[in-house]
């Protein structure tokens, strides 16, 4: 076949394969996977490990679980997506009756757990390794453009159904970015935004404010530190700084990053720290720092020339929150959250369409980590989510 003959084929591809996804692999037995480590030991669940390839060749890990005895009467699929510096394991770190991953399965949902690129329960890249700059060359723009469509596409491909979407923190920001560009809208059912982050103008985590104002992000970039990790030689920095017995030190450290969490169980510290946090790209943090300094939610700023080449304009385009549909959505946010700041959330609400049509739940005492690790999140947050999905 001549090149000319195949050319029309290539031009057709983008439209023909809308929503198409790369190769899918299923490996139920993976011994170092999330299923093997956190779900199977509990017993009673069918859990399987999937990997799906994004259009930029990352191998995204997704776990699917359902309670074994409910398998035939499923309430349909739901995709749950973690936040920055966390992984899909975060939905399983409390006891089963307190963890969202298990609770959804217990209610009869077909639960799909997302793990964005470079996190522990994802599977790397087809050609880059951790040592390559390309492995870390991404921010929320790529998560929204590649990872989220791959995960949602996988669920649709395997179930033939539209999943509900539950996002936390940067998991919500990915969805806002995609939805604001009118992508994936017809691929999801109800949407749940926990500790929503569109704007980070008022983030009041002192560490983040300091880092953004002092351009620490740029320093990292200048030093060619592409991976950002909060651990050193496999030990969390917080555990190096704070002795196991020094609870006050640990609490202060966690508060400095996430706000004054009301409801964490600090006796679970060692266990939780053996899973969290997980590395992210320095570029991802640089992008957040840009958003903080410029007080907007726009794409990554590559500088005048870089922007011109990439976006055809000198400044990066902003994501337009007035395009995010809210007719089937619930937003749950906390008054002590230093990262999903209350004013930033209110600013988001002011821009969303259909004012008042979506549900809002406000927990005055809650800070960022309470949503994923709070011992009462099952009663205060997850119960509402289950009721909302059921309604
Ligand atoms: C899922 O994707 C594969 C290719 O990866 C395709 O052959 C199959 O038809 C898809 N199934 C559904 C239900 O979309
Ligand atoms: C805190 O965690 C410990 C260890 O897992 C457990 O024994 C205790 O009951 C938990 N406390 C609360 C309030 O959940």
């Amino acid at each position: 076949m001549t090149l000319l003959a195949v050319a029309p084929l290539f031009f057709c591809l983008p439209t023909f394969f809308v929503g198409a996804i790369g190769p899918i692999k299923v490996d139920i037995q993976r011994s170092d996977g999330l299923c093997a480590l956190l779900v199977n030991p509990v017993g009673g669940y069918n859990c399987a490990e999937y990997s799906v390839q994004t259009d930029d060749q990352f191998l995204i890990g997704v776990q699917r679980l359902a309670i074994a005895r409910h398998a035939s009467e499923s309430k349909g699929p739901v995709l749950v997506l973690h936040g920055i510096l966390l992984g899909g394991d975060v939905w399983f770190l409390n006891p089963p009756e307190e963890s969202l991953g298990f609770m959804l399965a217990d209610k009869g949902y077909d639960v799909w757990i997302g793990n964005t690129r470079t996190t522990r329960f994802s599977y790397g890249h087809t050609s880059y390794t951790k040592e390559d700059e390309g492995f870390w060359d991404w921010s929320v723009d790529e998560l929204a453009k590649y990872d989220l469509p791959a995960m949602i596409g996988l669920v649709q491909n395997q179930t033939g159904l539209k999943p509900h979407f539950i996002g936390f923190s940067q998991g919500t920001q990915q969805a806002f970015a995609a939805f604001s560009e009118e992508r994936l809208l017809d691929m999801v059912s109800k949407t749940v935004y926990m500790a929503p982050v569109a704007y980070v103008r008022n983030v009041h985590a002192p560490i983040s404010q300091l880092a953004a104002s002092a351009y620490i992000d740029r320093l990292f970039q200048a030093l060619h530190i592409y991976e950002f990790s909060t651990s050193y030689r496999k030990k969390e920095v917080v555990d190096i700084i704070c002795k196991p017995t020094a609870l006050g030190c640990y609490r202060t450290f966690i508060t400095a990053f996430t706000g004054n969490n009301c409801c964490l169980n600090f006796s679970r510290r060692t266990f939780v720290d053996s899973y969290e946090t997980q590395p992210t790209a320095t570029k991802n943090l640089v992008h957040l720092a840009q958003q903080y300094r410029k007080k907007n939610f726009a794409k990554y700023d590559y500088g005048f020339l870089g922007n011109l080449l990439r976006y055809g304009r000198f400044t990066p385009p902003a994501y337009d929150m007035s395009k995010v549909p809210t007719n089937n959505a619930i937003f749950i946010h906390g008054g002590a959250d230093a990262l999903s700041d209350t004013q930033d959330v209110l600013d988001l609400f002011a821009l969303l369409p259909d004012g008042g049509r979506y549900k809002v739940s406000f927990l005055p005492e809650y800070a960022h980590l309470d949503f994923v690790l709070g011992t009462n999140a099952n009663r205060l947050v997850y119960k509402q989510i289950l009721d909302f999905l059921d309604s």
Side-chain angles (χ1 to χ4, degrees):
M1 213 179 339
T2 66
L3 188 62
L4 219 63
V6 292
L9 240 171
F10 278 105
F11 287 119
C12 289
L13 280 181
T15 36
F16 187 69
F17 279 125
V18 167
I21 44 175
I24 297 169
K25 242 183 80 203
V26 194
D27 179 2
I28 295 165
Q29 306 299 336
R30 203 183 162 95
S31 64
D32 59 348
L34 196 162
C35 290
L37 294 176
L38 290 168
V39 179
N40 296 344
V42 172
Y45 300 87
N46 291 330
C47 191
E49 302 277 347
Y50 288 75
S51 104
V52 56
Q53 192 175 317
T54 64
D55 282 347
D56 61 345
Q57 283 81 50
F58 276 89
L59 301 168
I60 299 303
V62 180
Q63 293 81 28
R64 176 188 200 173
L65 78 152
I67 196 161
R69 66 192 149 81
H70 280 175
S72 58
E73 44 185 275
S74 169
K75 287 190 179 165
V78 48
L79 174 70
V80 193
L81 190 55
H82 62 82
I84 194 167
L85 290 167
L86 303 172
D89 42 299
V90 78
W91 308 111
F92 301 94
L93 296 181
N94 274 352
E97 64 284 2
E98 290 176 11
S99 297
L100 183 61
F102 289 117
M103 288 174 70
L104 284 163
D106 291 343
K107 278 280 173 190
Y109 287 95
D110 177 10
V111 185
W112 295 76
I113 301 295
N115 296 268
T116 55
R117 55 184 63 191
T118 76
T119 57
R120 173 165 168 184
F121 296 105
S122 249
Y123 301 96
H125 189 274
T126 56
S127 47
Y128 296 134
T129 71
K130 241 173 138 284
E131 317 308 322
D132 296 315
E133 183 185 351
F135 194 70
W136 305 102
D137 186 16
W138 55 268
S139 75
V140 72
D141 295 340
E142 283 72 28
L143 300 182
K145 188 171 172 193
Y146 300 114
D147 293 22
L148 190 59
M151 292 184 262
I152 293 178
L154 169 68
V155 180
Q156 279 214 331
N157 177 286
Q158 296 290 308
T159 63
L161 298 168
K162 282 189 203 182
H164 298 305
F165 173 80
I166 302 178
F168 168 67
S169 185
Q170 194 168 57
T172 69
Q173 205 185 28
Q174 290 167 56
F176 294 142
F179 296 160
S180 75
E181 297 186 329
E182 291 170 24
R183 289 186 285 115
L184 305 177
L185 292 178
D186 54 349
M187 294 177 76
V188 290
S189 189
K190 294 183 182 176
T191 45
V192 176
Y193 303 104
M194 253 191 285
V197 174
Y199 301 104
V200 292
R201 300 166 177 154
N202 297 294
V203 158
H204 57 275
I207 297 264
S208 319
Q209 283 175 322
L210 185 72
S213 314
Y215 291 85
I216 301 287
D217 51 312
R218 290 221 192 135
L219 175 70
F220 267 68
Q221 235 175 3
L223 293 174
H224 298 279
I225 302 171
Y226 306 120
E227 171 183 356
F228 178 86
S229 169
T230 63
S231 65
Y232 178 71
R233 298 194 174 163
K234 304 210 165 185
K235 214 167 147 79
E236 283 296 311
V237 168
V238 59
D239 293 320
I240 299 170
I241 296 175
C242 306
K243 292 200 184 72
T245 46
L247 189 57
C249 170
Y250 188 82
R251 207 183 253 278
T252 306
F253 194 92
I254 302 290
T255 301
F257 282 96
T258 60
N260 191 10
N261 297 282
C262 60
C263 304
L264 304 183
N265 181 346
F266 287 99
S267 6
R268 304 179 62 79
R269 166 181 169 183
T270 318
F271 172 69
V272 169
D273 284 357
S274 70
Y275 283 95
E276 306 294 359
T277 61
Q278 297 178 25
T280 192
T282 300
K283 185 173 174 180
N284 192 20
L285 295 178
V286 172
H287 190 186
L288 277 171
Q290 288 177 353
Q291 294 169 41
Y292 175 79
R293 291 191 291 254
K294 295 188 193 161
K295 312 287 175 213
N296 68 359
F297 179 27
K299 294 196 183 201
Y300 191 90
D301 189 344
Y302 289 90
F304 284 125
L305 194 57
N307 291 338
L308 197 58
L309 290 173
R310 210 168 261 260
Y311 310 122
R313 42 184 282 176
F314 290 122
T315 54
Y319 290 109
D320 181 357
M321 290 303 108
S322 71
K323 298 247 168 66
V324 176
T326 53
N327 42 347
N328 252 322
I330 185 169
F331 294 80
I332 310 174
H333 65 123
D337 195 330
L339 298 176
S340 170
D341 173 86
T342 303
Q343 188 55 50
D344 287 335
V345 175
L346 295 178
D347 289 353
L348 166 67
F349 290 163
L351 288 170
L352 292 173
D354 308 323
R357 291 257 303 278
Y358 48 89
K359 287 185 195 304
V360 173
S361 169
F362 177 64
L363 300 150
E365 311 261 276
Y366 256 45
H368 212 58
L369 288 179
D370 291 317
F371 286 94
V372 280
L373 294 170
T375 53
N376 53 6
N378 56 349
R379 284 187 291 111
L380 299 186
V381 183
Y382 308 154
K383 167 88 170 51
Q384 286 191 66
I385 293 178
L386 291 165
D387 290 346
F388 171 72
L389 295 183
D390 266 350
S391 66

